[in-house]
Amino acid sequence: MDTDNPGIDPLGGLRAPQDPACDVFLTGTVFLDIIFTGLDSAPVRGTESWARGMGSSPGGVANMATALARLGLRTSLAAAFGDDHYGEYCWDALEQGEGIDLSMSHTVPGWHSPVTVSMAYEGERTMVSHGHEAPAPASGPAAAPGVVFPRCPPRARAAVASLAPGRREPWVAAAARHGALIFADVGWDETGRWDLDALPDLEHCAAFLPNAEEAMRYTRRDCPRAAAHALAERVPLAVVTLGADGAYAVDGRTGTAAEVPAIDVEALDPTGAGDVFVAGFVTGTLAGWPLADRLAFAGLTAALSVQEFGGSLSAPGWAEIAGWWQRVRTCAGQDPAALERYAFLERLLPSADRAWPLRRAVPTIGFRTP
C-alpha cells in the first residue's frame, strides 16, 4: 500500500453499511509503459536519439486506476494480464503497491503484455504501442488487447468508461442499472463523423468529459464553452477540458456553470494527465463537493501529475496535495483569489507539515533480490 498516503478517505463521512464495497469500477487495457524524457526534439529518421531520463510503470487503464486509488477511493479493475515478467510486474505494482482490487482480472497463459513506448519532448509526447488481442475469458469477450467486459460488474458507486463510435459495452448499462454513476471520456473519432448518436452508451452517463477539440467537433460549435452547454442537453453533467486554459463544466440539471483556470507548471511528461483529471473529478463528485471545487481539484491533481514522468506512478496522492498546498500558501506574492479557489483543501488535508514526495517511475522493471 501507499506508505506516503496520510490515510485520507474522501468518502469517510458518507459511508454506510449497506453501501457497495467498491467505490469505482473500471475495465480496459493495461500496458507496460516505457517512458523516455529529456529529449530535445522529436527523433529524426535515420538517427539515434539518447534520452536523459527514462522510467517504466503500468499504463493504459492503470493510469486511471492508480489515480483513483491514491485519492482514497476503493478501486476495482477488470483487465487481462500476460504471464510474462511485464504482466507480473504490472499486477504486483497495482495490487500490492496501490491496493487496487484485481479480483475481476485474470492472467492469460502464453500471452505477452501490451507495451507502449512514450517519448516526451517540448511539452508533448509521441507513443508507439504493440499488443495482441487476449483470448476471451470465461466472463465475456475481449474486444481489444487486455480489455475485459464483465457481464456482471460489481456494485459500485461509480464506473469509468471510454466511449467509442458504434461500440456498446454491455457492462456500462449493467453498472448503471445497479446504481453506479457512469463517468465517460472519449477518444478521437477515426470515422470522421463526430456523431453523438453513434455513442450508444452516452445515454447511461452521469458525466461526459471530452477535451475541447472533441467537444466542439461532436457539437458542431466553434467555442468549447458553447460546446459544453450543448453537451449538457444530452448528459446531466458536461465537463470540457481546455488544456492550458483549465476546464469548463455545465450541470444540465440546474444550469449551473463553472470554470477554473489551469495551474501553471513546468510539464515534464503529460502521459496520463487526462486520466488523473477524471479521477480527481470523480473523487469530488462522489464526495458531494460544489462543481467549482471539483474542477479545481481535478485540475490540481492533473497539474501535479505532469511534473514527473510515468502515467500511473506520477499520479498524486494526498501527501503530494498537502505538500503543494503547504508550499503555495506560504509563498510570498500569491494571488489571493487563486488561494481562495483552493481553500476547500483546508478541511480535507492533515494539519501536520509535509514534504512534497513526488513519485518517480522506476528506470527498470525490477532488480534481482540478493
Side-chain angles (χ1 to χ4, degrees), residues 31-55:
F31 288 81
L32 171 71
D33 279 0
I34 301 173
I35 308 102
F36 292 104
T37 63
L39 292 165
D40 295 321
S41 61
V44 178
R45 180 178 179 179
T47 67
E48 180 180 15
S49 299
W50 279 81
R52 290 187 291 274
M54 74 160 287

Side-chain angles (χ1 to χ4, degrees), residues 104-362:
M104 297 201 68
S105 295
H106 68 288
T107 298
V108 181
W111 180 67
H112 77 74
S113 302
V115 176
T116 291
V117 175
S118 175
M119 292 162 281
Y121 54 87
E122 299 174 354
E124 296 294 338
R125 59 177 176 158
T126 297
M127 299 185 294
V128 178
S129 297
H130 174 72
H132 298 285
E133 183 174 324
S139 59
V147 179
V148 179
F149 297 125
R151 292 194 178 102
C152 296
R155 284 186 63 233
R157 296 172 186 266
V160 181
S162 184
L163 306 184
R167 188 180 75 197
R168 183 182 291 276
E169 299 178 0
W171 74 264
V172 174
R177 283 196 305 269
H178 288 94
L181 296 176
I182 308 298
F183 296 78
D185 59 12
V186 68
W188 190 259
D189 185 357
E190 300 293 345
T191 71
R193 292 175 56 200
W194 298 99
D195 181 6
L196 286 173
D197 291 331
L199 302 176
D201 286 327
L202 191 64
E203 64 179 319
H204 303 298
C205 292
F208 184 43
L209 300 96
N211 64 33
E213 183 69 18
E214 294 159 351
M216 290 189 291
R217 286 179 178 268
Y218 269 116
T219 60
R220 311 297 193 269
R221 301 296 197 276
D222 58 6
C223 167
R225 294 163 184 81
H229 284 274
L231 289 172
E233 297 175 3
R234 300 287 297 265
V235 292
L237 184 59
V239 182
V240 177
T241 54
L242 308 175
D245 292 328
Y248 186 84
V250 179
D251 188 325
R253 295 160 298 191
T254 65
T256 302
E259 182 169 4
V260 173
I263 297 174
D264 186 20
V265 297
E266 183 177 351
L268 173 63
D269 178 13
T271 303
D275 295 325
V276 175
F277 180 95
V278 173
F281 192 82
V282 170
T283 300
T285 301
L286 294 183
W289 301 348
L291 185 56
D293 291 353
R294 285 181 266 168
L295 278 186
F297 186 73
L300 169 60
T301 54
L304 294 180
S305 77
V306 302
Q307 296 179 76
E308 289 296 328
F309 57 80
S312 62
L313 296 188
S314 66
W318 289 104
E320 285 84 5
I321 295 166
W324 174 84
W325 179 238
Q326 174 68 18
R327 191 177 75 163
V328 298
R329 67 178 178 173
T330 56
C331 288
Q334 293 288 346
D335 178 7
L339 288 177
E340 180 63 26
R341 186 177 302 122
Y342 297 93
F344 68 93
L345 293 173
E346 284 286 349
R347 66 179 184 271
L348 301 169
L349 298 173
S351 57
D353 291 345
R354 283 183 170 270
W356 191 359
L358 291 180
R359 306 176 190 281
R360 292 169 172 80
V362 294

